[in-house]
Amino acid sequence: MSAPSILTARGLTKTYRTGGRIVPALDGVDIDLAAGETLAVVGASGSGKSTLARAILRLVELDAGTIHVGGRDFRRLAGAELRAERRRIQMVFQDPALALNPRGTVRSVVADPLRVHSLVEAGGQADAVAALLDRVGLPYAFADRPVHGISGGQRQRVAIARALATKPSILVLDEPVSALDVSVRGQILNLLLDLQRKERIAYLFISHDMGVVRAVADRVVVMSRGRIVENGSADAVFRSPRSPECRELLDAVPALPGR
Amino acid sequence: MTAEVLVRLAGAGVRYSAGLPAAIAGVSLSLARGERLAVIGESGSGKTTLALAMAGLLPAGSTVEGRIEWPAFGGAPKPGRDVGYVFQDPSGSLDPVMRVGDQLAEVAAAHGDADPHVNAVELIAQVELPDPVRTARAYPHELSGGQRQRIALALALAGRPSMLIADEATSALDPVVQKKLAELVVRLCRTNGLTLVFVTHDIALAAGLGTRIAVVYSARLAETGPAERVLSDPAHPYTKALLESHLGRDVPRGARVHAIEGQPPDPALALPGCRFALRCRHAVATCNRSEPGWAGARDDGAACILPAGMLR
């Protein structure tokens, strides 16, 4: 990899205890993410990929490991410093209906991070909201719609606008299109591809759908039982998968006859 | 087709209550014994309503326009006995505080089974779960999502129905588990001569499952026909767009992916024309003025004015 890493995670370890059993969710995971690239993290249910996403945002506290974001040790930060650094990494969840305040309006959802991080002057909020909605392809007329009153695809656009509000350099996307209908899935993937091209945002893209991963990823890591079992360029991983887990995921993609 | 017709819809429409728009309207379609029909549509399209209507399981208070007939059952099918239903969320169809073997035995007994506990174990073996005797003693929470869905499938089969309806039965599962379960459903249908209605939003999954395909869009039947014909020579632009939107493992990262712009119309919105016209690349002025008639045969055609072969 030639581009410098903006996210470097080393030795990430996390165990959960359930009913007396110790389950390793992350078992010494290393990740590097360069500016403007998409790293896909794939794996079956329970492989640890969602724990990885949450751990990188410190939504899950790790047992061990280091996470450097823009050179700073993210795990050692606290208080105001942590809040400030959190702007750099934002998350988009699978189901925007669950991730956004169901009683909020589009405006309140998108403006919350602006307010929390004091990113706009008084009076500048409407312009900032309009600019964010514009970046995700929504008209400003949407600002006063209730979040529950718009379609799933529009809601995911709102979730992306909210994530963009703090001008992050990294987006962690946890299955961002798997709850969407096929006919809007392509629109959201195109939005993400366009944003990345224009703004060089790096994506950590969590998914178990290898078809979606093929369409967006530059590099792929394959997880199984909390470990990385394969790591390579998307071309290499799709052309000649080495791990049985990866081959199994590839075989599970339904194929259309004649394609 | 000489096989016995299990269910036949003629201009069928369903309304859940008088004030609501029709959940499906004007559907004509028939299903013969042993066929596997994949019903494809997006959320809110009416695909579940179509499946419920075919199963005779519409909730009380809903009204049916047109005709739905079950010639092979001599009247509406008996739930469980004639038609088994597998829902999307297995935790919703299983009792969390009852051993799965007991739940299966309860259903088998209700259908007059003389030896329900033995048959419960046989059903568990039939859905290819390991160690059936031990699995029968498990509670749902002790099983994985895929295993729970296999139990839900066994429950649907417990009354030995001739028709099985699987409504997004694999969508909540990860792709590896999903593929195995879908293959099991097809295998069970083949070996037991079951007729299958498989409801899904995934046209590629449907491609591997169905002998026939029905595509539903915004409460209308857009297209139906033999799977091979629909997939290779779609007659409705929506079907074609779905096929183009499929992301297989062979399309590497590019600048953009294929997308259908816009979104389905609000179901409450009365439109004089084709409900796909606003998103359709082939639409002409007529498409927005009047609803397209059905072109082709009842079980092999599309609701589109484009001449046959135009989309090839």
Side-chain angles (χ1 to χ4, degrees):
Chain A
M1 194 191 348
S2 49
S5 172
I6 53 168
L7 171 76
T8 307
R10 289 290 175 269
L12 304 187
T13 303
K14 173 75 187 175
T15 52
Y16 290 115
R17 275 159 214 279
T18 54
R21 283 189 312 142
I22 295 173
V23 183
L26 293 176
D27 187 3
V29 169
D30 299 343
I31 291 277
D32 288 286
L33 183 65
E37 75 162 349
T38 297
L39 173 64
V41 180
V42 304
S45 301
S47 60
K49 57 189 194 302
S50 284
T51 302
L52 174 64
R54 286 170 166 72
I56 282 173
L57 284 128
R58 287 190 62 182
L59 298 176
V60 161
E61 284 299 341
L62 290 160
D63 300 335
T66 59
I67 301 170
H68 282 85
V69 180
R72 298 194 69 183
D73 188 347
F74 196 52
R75 283 194 67 213
R76 287 177 187 276
L77 301 177
E81 271 196 318
L82 174 62
R83 270 197 299 284
E85 285 299 311
R86 269 206 165 127
R87 278 186 229 158
R88 294 166 175 272
I89 312 186
Q90 291 291 309
M91 179 142 179
V92 175
F93 294 88
Q94 176 175 3
D95 186 350
L98 299 176
L100 305 177
N101 175 4
R103 298 176 63 187
T105 60
V106 170
R107 182 191 304 281
S108 70
V109 160
V110 173
D112 267 351
L114 298 172
R115 184 176 51 74
V116 169
H117 292 284
S118 315
L119 296 174
V120 286
E121 308 284 311
Q125 197 209 64
D127 286 345
V129 168
L132 283 165
L133 292 180
D134 185 55
R135 278 161 79 196
V136 298
L138 290 175
Y140 184 60
F142 261 73
D144 294 306
R145 301 271 291 271
V147 165
H148 67 80
I150 60 180
S151 74
Q154 291 161 344
R155 228 181 265 132
Q156 197 60 302
R157 285 178 194 267
V158 171
I160 294 168
R162 174 190 170 93
L164 293 174
T166 62
K167 300 189 171 66
S169 47
I170 300 167
L171 281 189
V172 177
L173 304 147
D174 190 1
E175 300 274 10
V177 295
S178 62
L180 302 177
D181 278 311
V182 176
S183 86
V184 291
R185 180 183 67 186
Q187 299 173 17
I188 298 298
L189 291 176
N190 281 336
L191 169 64
L192 291 170
L193 289 166
D194 288 346
L195 277 171
Q196 187 172 59
R197 199 166 40 242
K198 284 185 212 143
E199 311 187 16
R200 270 180 69 73
I201 303 172
Y203 295 152
L204 189 69
F205 196 103
I206 316 290
S207 181
H208 58 214
D209 184 333
M210 296 301 271
V212 170
V213 167
R214 189 69 179 128
V216 299
D218 298 302
R219 290 190 303 125
V220 177
V221 299
V222 182
M223 289 191 68
S224 174
R225 295 175 195 195
R227 289 170 179 257
I228 290 179
V229 293
E230 184 158 355
N231 182 354
S233 74
D235 284 338
V237 165
F238 278 83
R239 202 178 327 109
S240 42
R242 289 171 317 217
S243 62
E245 289 86 354
C246 186
R247 279 196 290 272
E248 200 176 31
L249 283 169
L250 286 172
D251 285 343
V253 181
L256 287 172
R259 284 183 58 185
Chain B
M1 208 177 308
T2 50
E4 183 189 15
V5 171
L6 282 196
V7 52
R8 185 186 297 126
L9 283 73
V14 174
R15 219 173 269 276
Y16 285 110
S17 79
L20 289 174
I24 54 164
V27 176
S28 297
L29 182 72
S30 70
L31 188 61
R33 195 180 286 279
E35 286 188 314
R36 298 193 304 275
L37 174 72
V39 178
I40 303 165
E42 42 203 278
S43 27
S45 62
K47 60 186 189 299
T48 292
T49 303
L50 179 57
L52 289 170
M54 292 176 93
L57 279 175
L58 290 169
S62 40
T63 52
V64 174
E65 292 147 32
R67 282 197 329 267
I68 306 177
E69 297 162 343
W70 296 272
F73 299 134
K78 293 181 237 5
R81 165 65 77 196
D82 294 325
V83 184
Y85 210 106
V86 186
F87 299 90
Q88 177 171 358
D89 178 10
S91 17
S93 24
L94 300 177
D95 183 336
V97 294
M98 191 173 184
R99 295 180 196 275
V100 296
D102 293 342
Q103 300 190 41
L104 281 162
E106 190 178 62
V107 177
H111 288 289
D113 198 318
D115 212 346
H117 278 91
V118 171
N119 276 314
V121 173
E122 269 169 27
L123 283 162
I124 294 172
Q126 223 189 352
V127 295
E128 297 171 13
L129 283 168
D131 200 347
V133 175
R134 198 163 152 230
T135 303
R137 288 199 299 268
Y139 289 98
H141 76 266
E142 295 172 308
L143 303 174
S144 70
Q147 290 171 330
R148 277 200 290 268
Q149 197 59 303
R150 282 170 191 256
I151 295 293
L153 179 60
L155 275 171
L157 297 173
R160 314 224 173 273
S162 48
M163 189 168 157
L164 179 68
I165 301 202
D167 188 355
E168 295 274 14
T170 65
S171 329
L173 305 169
D174 86 42
V176 175
V177 182
Q178 171 177 63
K179 180 172 186 249
K180 288 181 183 152
L181 189 67
E183 286 167 353
L184 170 68
V185 168
V186 171
R187 209 155 47 235
L188 285 172
C189 289
R190 280 221 182 98
T191 48
N192 300 328
L194 280 168
T195 307
L196 175 70
V197 177
F198 193 93
V199 179
T200 178
H201 61 273
D202 185 343
I203 197 163
L205 185 63
L209 275 165
T211 55
R212 285 185 49 205
I213 284 177
V215 181
V216 178
Y217 185 79
S218 190
R220 304 292 189 281
L221 182 64
E223 174 161 13
T224 188
E228 233 170 274
R229 197 280 295 159
V230 172
L231 297 168
S232 63
D233 184 18
H236 197 287
Y238 176 60
T239 314
K240 182 164 166 81
L242 282 181
L243 289 167
E244 287 169 344
S245 305
H246 171 64
L247 296 171
R249 46 189 273 193
D250 49 355
V251 186
R253 172 167 182 165
R256 318 209 79 199
V257 301
H258 195 280
I260 312 173
E261 294 309 322
Q263 53 184 331
D266 185 332
L269 189 67
L271 290 171
C274 171
R275 299 186 72 82
F276 187 62
L278 281 173
R279 304 173 79 187
C280 182
R281 276 182 292 157
H282 305 272
V284 293
T286 333
C287 298
N288 287 308
R289 280 202 299 266
S290 60
E291 220 172 306
W294 188 257
R298 185 189 55 192
D299 286 318
D300 188 5
C304 184
I305 61 162
L306 281 177
M310 265 289 283
L311 299 172
R312 218 170 279 158

